[in-house]
Amino acid sequence: MATAAQAAAVFLSFLSSSPSHHSAPSSVSLGATPVLPVSLRVAAAAGPRLSSPLRGRRISAVIAQLPTAHPEVSNGDKKIRWSSRAVRSFAMAELEARKMRYPTTGTEGLLMGILVEGTSGAAKLLRANGITLLKVREEAANVLGKSEMFYFSPMHPPLTKAAQQALDWAVNEKLKSGEDGEVTANHLLLGIWSDKESAGHKILASLGFDDEKAILLAKTAGEEAAMSPR
């Protein structure tokens, strides 16, 4: 007999694939050109429920699919890896975009994903400064507008140009450091902050995040990379 979770997954898949539910929302003005959809499934976030060897294989498979402008660099000789916390944050970003009924995953979605994942240094710094998931959702609605009540997002909302640039920035900064380790959620948050025109930056600024906090976060990025669980 199918479980409630399986039934819910089938229902969501049916809704997202139904043509009648895919008209564009009239009140959302994302203002960024979406790129190709990301083949990263939210199921990857369930990794910790698996046994340790299986979890490692699942996360590795997802990391190989995380989108960057230079996949041969992020997966080739340089051995640049994304931390498991960053991967889960990314998966949660797609889910948050769907909850907001947005057609794309933007920097606001990445920001919400970091907060939903909740265990990274970036998430802890945000919460310590009063930046919560609820506040970010409210500000996202103020900045981008609300979607129509009966609009259903794609199963995997494609990245906006700004969100893609945030991911690329995170990888590039890790490469510039010349250090071993992983690209973390700290790098991802700094990538969001690096683009002053992005929705994520505007939301962070409106909630009190500033360059001083970004500098503090940058100092701890290396520490999180070294301590990040494989």
Side-chain angles (χ1 to χ4, degrees):
M1 180 178 294
T3 65
Q6 290 172 331
V10 171
F11 178 65
L12 287 174
S13 177
F14 168 76
L15 290 178
S16 62
S17 62
S18 175
S20 63
H21 292 295
H22 281 264
S23 58
S26 60
S27 58
V28 175
S29 54
L30 295 179
T33 304
V35 297
L36 293 176
V38 181
S39 58
L40 173 63
R41 299 190 177 279
V42 175
R49 298 179 184 177
L50 301 175
S51 63
S52 181
L54 289 177
R55 181 171 70 244
R57 287 198 291 272
R58 173 68 63 84
I59 292 297
S60 297
V62 174
I63 290 174
Q65 298 178 49
L66 209 69
T68 62
H70 307 289
E72 70 282 0
V73 173
S74 60
N75 294 298
D77 294 338
K78 294 295 183 180
K79 303 301 182 184
I80 297 298
R81 304 178 303 275
W82 289 87
S83 71
S84 58
R85 291 188 178 100
V87 171
R88 290 194 297 268
S89 297
F90 187 88
M92 292 300 99
E94 281 193 339
L95 182 59
E96 287 302 306
R98 297 188 68 207
K99 286 182 179 179
M100 296 288 288
R101 296 190 175 92
Y102 286 161
T104 54
T105 302
T107 51
E108 74 290 338
L110 296 177
L111 179 55
M112 286 185 278
I114 290 171
L115 285 165
V116 172
E117 192 282 328
T119 67
S120 67
K124 292 174 182 177
L125 178 66
L126 291 173
R127 290 198 303 270
N129 286 277
I131 302 176
T132 65
L133 177 61
L134 180 59
K135 290 180 180 179
V136 170
R137 282 175 177 166
E138 292 175 349
E139 285 301 311
N142 291 334
V143 172
L144 299 174
K146 294 182 178 180
S147 183
E148 293 180 354
M149 182 178 296
F150 297 106
Y151 173 78
F152 288 88
S153 302
M155 181 66 73
H156 302 289
L159 289 173
T160 62
K161 182 179 179 180
Q164 181 66 66
Q165 288 175 342
L167 291 174
D168 296 340
W169 188 98
V171 171
N172 289 335
E173 285 302 302
K174 183 61 183 178
L175 289 170
K176 288 178 184 178
S177 73
E179 299 174 352
D180 293 332
E182 299 175 319
V183 184
T184 68
N186 286 19
H187 294 106
L188 186 55
L189 180 57
L190 290 170
I192 296 170
W193 182 250
S194 69
D195 184 356
K196 294 183 179 180
E197 298 303 316
S198 70
H201 182 103
K202 293 176 182 178
I203 291 168
L204 284 169
S206 70
L207 294 175
F209 195 86
D210 54 26
D211 288 335
E212 183 178 346
K213 294 180 178 64
I215 291 172
L216 176 62
L217 184 64
K219 290 180 179 179
T220 63
E223 298 175 8
E224 184 184 15
M227 298 175 62
S228 181
R230 299 297 188 265

